[in-house]
Amino acid sequence: MSTTDPLDFFDGVDSVASVPRAPRRKRKWLDSLSIYLPVLLMGLLALASYWLLRATPVAELPGVERPVSTEPDYFMRRFSVKVFDAVGILKTELTGVEARHYPATDTVEVDNGRIRHVGLNGLPTLASARLITTNGDNTEFILEGNAVVVREAGVNATGEAVPRLEFRGEFLHVYTTPERIVSDRPVTLLRGTDRLQADTLDYVGDERVANFKGRVKVRMEPR
């Protein structure tokens, strides 16, 4: 032991030597976290995407088209249906006790129906029957049971006198555009005081021509 240095007993110790550091566990943990952080983020994104897909409502698949019902989808009672042209002039009016609409054919059946139609010549045509069937735009009418169609006398657009015409039968098919009356069953035509009966009829109103087939009977009053 040295007599000059009271700390001689520390001679065996290096006073400048550095103190040993603790293990770098924290740094290694941060290094590991930095390595696996992208993987963790990817996993979180995948979980979020999966949750969004589960939470989003699934679009409905197109269902099988159902056949249109042959049953009526609505009724009308004590009704009146009017059809106007492009300038607002009344062209056709249909009234009846009861009407039934069939969506499968877009037709309407009318019990005890009445029709009033104004043609291109300006003359009104009246029709009635126990049962009237009309299409969706009211351009065709099928009259069944005591069917009557009357075109009143008057003057057409050219100033020519037009006699009164009346059609009677159990079945009459009336077209409004162009004006035409067709029947494949016996029909009676009254023209003024003249009377004509036939098994079938095809009358074209614009041309004022009537075609008859089958047994035809004509009775003409002297003038």
Side-chain angles (χ1 to χ4, degrees):
M1 178 179 294
S2 173
T3 58
T4 60
D5 188 353
L7 300 178
D8 281 346
F9 63 91
F10 289 111
D11 287 343
V13 180
D14 187 358
S15 61
V16 297
S18 59
V19 178
R21 297 180 180 180
R24 301 181 180 181
R25 295 180 179 178
K26 185 175 182 180
R27 184 173 181 179
K28 289 182 179 180
W29 182 82
L30 291 175
D31 291 342
S32 300
L33 181 62
S34 63
I35 293 174
Y36 292 105
L37 183 61
V39 178
L40 292 175
L41 290 177
M42 292 292 291
L44 291 175
L45 288 175
L47 288 174
S49 300
Y50 175 75
W51 180 83
L52 287 175
L53 289 175
R54 291 291 302 273
T56 303
V58 179
E60 295 184 1
L61 296 176
V64 179
E65 185 176 354
R66 297 180 179 179
V68 181
S69 174
T70 57
E71 297 297 322
D73 57 353
Y74 68 80
F75 298 84
M76 294 186 294
R77 292 182 174 88
R78 303 293 178 183
F79 69 95
S80 175
V81 176
K82 298 180 180 180
V83 179
F84 299 85
D85 63 10
V87 296
I89 298 176
L90 179 63
K91 300 297 294 181
T92 305
E93 182 178 7
L94 172 64
T95 62
V97 174
E98 180 178 289
R100 298 168 295 277
H101 177 260
Y102 293 87
T105 56
D106 191 22
T107 57
V108 176
E109 288 185 351
V110 181
D111 295 334
N112 297 322
R114 294 181 178 274
I115 306 167
R116 185 181 187 275
H117 172 73
V118 179
L120 297 176
N121 55 14
L123 299 178
T125 298
L126 308 177
S128 62
R130 286 196 297 267
L131 177 64
I132 297 178
T133 304
T134 177
N135 60 349
D137 55 2
N138 292 325
T139 58
E140 294 184 33
F141 300 89
I142 297 177
L143 285 64
E144 299 176 88
N146 195 23
V148 179
V149 176
V150 178
R151 191 197 64 190
E152 298 293 349
V155 179
N156 60 18
T158 62
E160 182 182 2
V162 178
R164 181 181 185 275
L165 289 178
E166 181 176 339
F167 303 85
R168 291 182 174 272
E170 287 300 307
F171 176 87
L172 296 174
H173 193 162
V174 180
Y175 300 85
T176 61
T177 307
E179 294 183 5
R180 187 182 176 196
I181 302 175
V182 179
S183 179
D184 58 358
R185 304 177 196 176
V187 64
T188 299
L189 169 62
L190 303 175
R191 184 180 184 273
T193 57
D194 299 335
R195 182 185 184 92
L196 187 149
Q197 293 177 303
D199 289 339
T200 65
L201 166 71
D202 189 349
Y203 173 78
V204 182
D206 295 342
E207 301 176 5
R208 294 165 55 187
V209 174
N211 296 315
F212 302 95
K213 293 182 180 181
R215 295 172 297 177
V216 179
K217 297 180 181 180
V218 179
R219 188 187 69 186
M220 303 184 68
E221 297 292 337
R223 291 176 173 79

